[in-house]
Amino acid sequence: MADAQALLRARFGIDLPGTEVPDAVASLIDRRVTRRYTGQDVPDSLLDALLAAAQSAPAKSDLQQFSVVVMRDRRRIKQIADWIGTMDWIATAPVFLVWCGDMRRGQRLCAMHDMPHANNNMDTFLNTAVDCALAMAQFITAADAVGLGTCPISYVRSHIERVSPLLGLPSGVYPVAGLTLGWPVFRRPVSMRLPPAVVVHRERYDERTLEPDITAYDQRRNARDPVAAASLKNNDVYPPRDGVGWSENVARQLSVPERFGFATWLKTQGFDLA
């Protein structure tokens, strides 16, 4: 049996008395992101098994509305890394995957059977994103299980007008996230997460203790892993300073518009979003 309290304390910075962690669950709580990769390749046979695991994830109504573009060409991967500019580890990964929501396949199926595709709407967009996220999460879990490391890259959406043509994405298909894959140089520390009291609600939503819980979380997280002033979000908008906690750094990011052209781009890509 895993040392439950040690795992939970590493993840949350607090004890969670009474919580039992079966061995099969321990690796999920101990998951780490990987941002440095060795030069060792990932065999196609192993990669195909991980992709098969991804396709085994739950899918809304068995519609299976996602696609994934697997990239091994270092020059093309570096193009994406250069566009993003702040994540040099992307170019060091032997594999880069771009996970995509895919409405187009359903449209093609309707055309094959001489039926109209009557569900080009916001619900379909959400379903494609969820199907894609579930598959990517299952891929990450499978990669962790064999000792590989991953790092999701949402910033592909910040350069969607470049990434999509590079990958030849047709109408009805859009990138949800990129994902680096490779053998880790080292295991990073566990990222401290919000206490379950903030995230887990019993029977109904309850945020009465949110502010004191967040304040305590900020203090715990700063004590373990303070954020350098130079690494804060949007230092060109807000003056950098020492001692900024997680919650303020999140506010610094969320208070400045990001990817506000995403919906417009999706409409040019065939999504009605009605």
Side-chain angles (χ1 to χ4, degrees):
M1 179 68 70
D3 184 342
Q5 288 308 311
L7 285 169
L8 295 168
R9 198 177 304 112
R11 180 57 75 191
F12 299 107
I14 55 176
D15 291 325
L16 296 176
T19 302
E20 296 183 2
V21 180
D23 289 341
V25 177
S27 62
L28 299 177
I29 296 175
D30 194 43
R31 186 201 61 81
R32 326 285 179 98
V33 73
T34 297
R35 292 177 180 160
R36 289 290 178 266
Y37 302 95
T38 71
Q40 183 181 355
D41 198 9
V42 179
D44 282 332
S45 57
L46 177 56
L47 178 57
D48 288 345
L50 302 180
L51 291 166
Q55 282 195 255
S56 302
K60 193 273 179 191
S61 299
D62 197 23
L63 295 175
Q64 305 178 60
Q65 299 177 106
F66 82 94
S67 290
V68 56
V69 179
V70 179
M71 303 179 69
R72 285 189 176 275
D73 186 321
R74 292 299 185 104
R75 180 186 57 82
R76 287 162 54 82
I77 294 173
K78 189 174 185 304
Q79 274 188 278
I80 294 177
D82 288 346
W83 289 335
I84 293 173
T86 56
M87 301 177 181
D88 61 343
W89 66 87
I90 294 175
T92 72
V95 183
F96 188 71
L97 305 102
V98 181
W99 298 83
C100 303
D102 192 332
M103 177 178 68
R104 182 181 181 85
R105 187 180 304 117
Q107 293 173 323
R108 293 287 305 274
L109 296 180
C110 287
M112 283 172 58
H113 295 280
D114 297 319
M115 297 178 185
H117 184 274
N119 286 281
N120 185 345
N121 51 36
M122 180 62 77
D123 188 62
T124 291
F125 168 73
L126 180 60
N127 286 329
T128 62
V130 170
D131 271 11
C132 181
L134 289 170
M136 184 174 71
Q138 192 136 313
F139 182 97
I140 291 170
T141 300
D144 285 347
V146 297
L148 283 160
T150 59
C151 182
I153 309 292
S154 68
Y155 273 78
V156 296
R157 297 197 308 276
S158 298
H159 302 276
I160 203 165
E161 75 289 346
R162 294 172 169 174
V163 171
S164 295
L166 178 70
L167 304 181
L169 300 186
S171 176
V173 182
Y174 65 97
V176 173
L179 187 72
T180 54
L181 175 72
W183 302 101
V185 171
F186 59 87
R187 295 197 81 205
R188 293 170 58 87
V190 168
S191 297
M192 188 183 294
R193 293 297 197 229
L194 287 166
V198 172
V199 177
V200 181
H201 305 268
R202 311 290 182 181
E203 305 300 340
R204 60 186 294 121
Y205 197 97
D206 183 357
E207 59 179 10
R208 285 173 294 180
T209 65
L210 183 141
E211 290 195 17
D213 285 344
I214 292 291
T215 298
Y217 172 68
D218 280 342
Q219 293 169 351
R220 289 194 302 273
R221 187 156 172 160
N222 257 0
R224 181 192 293 183
D225 188 23
V227 180
S231 299
L232 293 171
K233 302 294 185 180
N234 293 316
N235 274 338
D236 55 337
V237 178
Y238 303 104
R241 61 184 180 83
D242 293 326
V244 171
W246 173 87
S247 62
E248 183 179 339
N249 203 25
V250 167
R252 290 166 71 102
Q253 179 171 356
L254 297 180
S255 64
V256 177
E258 290 183 322
R259 304 172 192 142
F260 51 84
F262 184 46
T264 300
W265 183 89
L266 284 170
K267 290 177 181 178
T268 70
Q269 195 71 356
F271 286 84
D272 286 348
L273 304 181

